[in-house]
Amino acid sequence: MDWTDLIDAAFDVAGNSNKDNRDAALRTVEANVAPDERPVASTAGRHPDHFRKGVLVLTTHRLLYLKDGKPPVPVPLEAVTDATVTRTRINGEVLLVVALTGSHRFEDVVKAEVFAEQLRAAARLARQASRKALDAPAPAGSGGELLDQLERLAALHTAGALTDEEFTRAKQRLIG
């Protein structure tokens, strides 16, 4: 599955046949993906602040909410601590994503249970990969790479994904 297939499938589920919206969503995703980021799943849902449905895109790195060409609402998978689904008469299936960066509510989500399970599995894999990266010895490389790795560690620490002890240990491994 590539990015185009993922966006098309989500827009089909949302019942949105507007080609301009699809193209804008695809451009937004492609402009913001990391080199090793891959598509995982997508569905349609509505943010409580919007009347029409948007697209929920799950990647190997994050969850994105896309709507009408607006900047995506990203949720890093490493920060996701829980994803639950409830059902209400008014809002249909409600997906609540709890992350260290805040909680996010999406209403009228299509196949919410399946998507929530995919989200939980992807978040588990992202956290495992992050922990393995922290325990691995630092590769020899340029100073720019070291600075990038230190900035990423600092961001994880600030978001609460790393404890003070984990942050200090990982920083010492990188610096040597």
Side-chain angles (χ1 to χ4, degrees):
M1 176 182 292
D2 67 6
W3 295 110
T4 304
D5 295 337
L6 190 77
I7 297 296
D8 285 346
F11 271 84
D12 288 343
V13 168
N16 188 338
S17 60
N18 186 316
K19 183 166 176 23
D20 291 337
N21 285 348
R22 287 178 189 227
D23 292 344
L26 181 60
R27 281 192 306 274
T28 299
V29 169
E30 288 178 337
N32 291 295
V33 296
D36 59 340
E37 190 170 11
R38 301 287 173 254
V40 175
S42 66
T43 192
R46 186 172 42 82
H47 191 277
D49 295 340
H50 302 283
F51 179 71
R52 291 189 336 201
K53 283 187 179 180
V55 177
L56 289 160
V57 175
L58 179 61
T59 76
T60 52
H61 291 58
R62 58 200 164 154
L63 172 67
L64 299 169
Y65 177 71
L66 306 168
K67 181 153 184 322
D68 298 336
K70 294 179 179 156
V73 176
V75 180
L77 289 184
E78 294 170 343
V80 172
T81 59
D82 196 15
T84 58
V85 176
T86 58
R87 287 174 184 74
T88 68
R89 286 183 176 173
I90 296 172
N91 298 320
E93 290 190 340
V94 177
L95 173 64
L96 181 63
V97 179
V98 180
L100 297 171
T101 56
S103 64
H104 306 272
R105 178 185 166 105
F106 303 99
E107 300 170 346
D108 201 18
V109 176
V110 178
K111 297 185 180 179
E113 289 286 350
V114 173
F115 192 76
E117 184 53 43
Q118 291 170 319
L119 175 59
R120 286 188 291 266
R124 259 190 315 275
L125 289 173
R127 284 191 303 273
Q128 288 171 356
S130 178
R131 298 243 187 257
K132 284 181 185 176
L134 292 175
D135 290 338
S142 70
E145 290 175 11
L146 177 61
L147 183 59
D148 289 344
Q149 290 174 339
L150 287 170
E151 286 175 345
R152 184 164 186 234
L153 280 176
L156 288 170
H157 182 250
T158 302
L162 296 175
T163 65
D164 291 340
E165 180 182 308
E166 290 171 326
F167 174 69
T168 302
R169 191 176 71 229
K171 187 171 66 171
Q172 288 171 345
R173 281 197 182 100
L174 283 176
I175 295 172

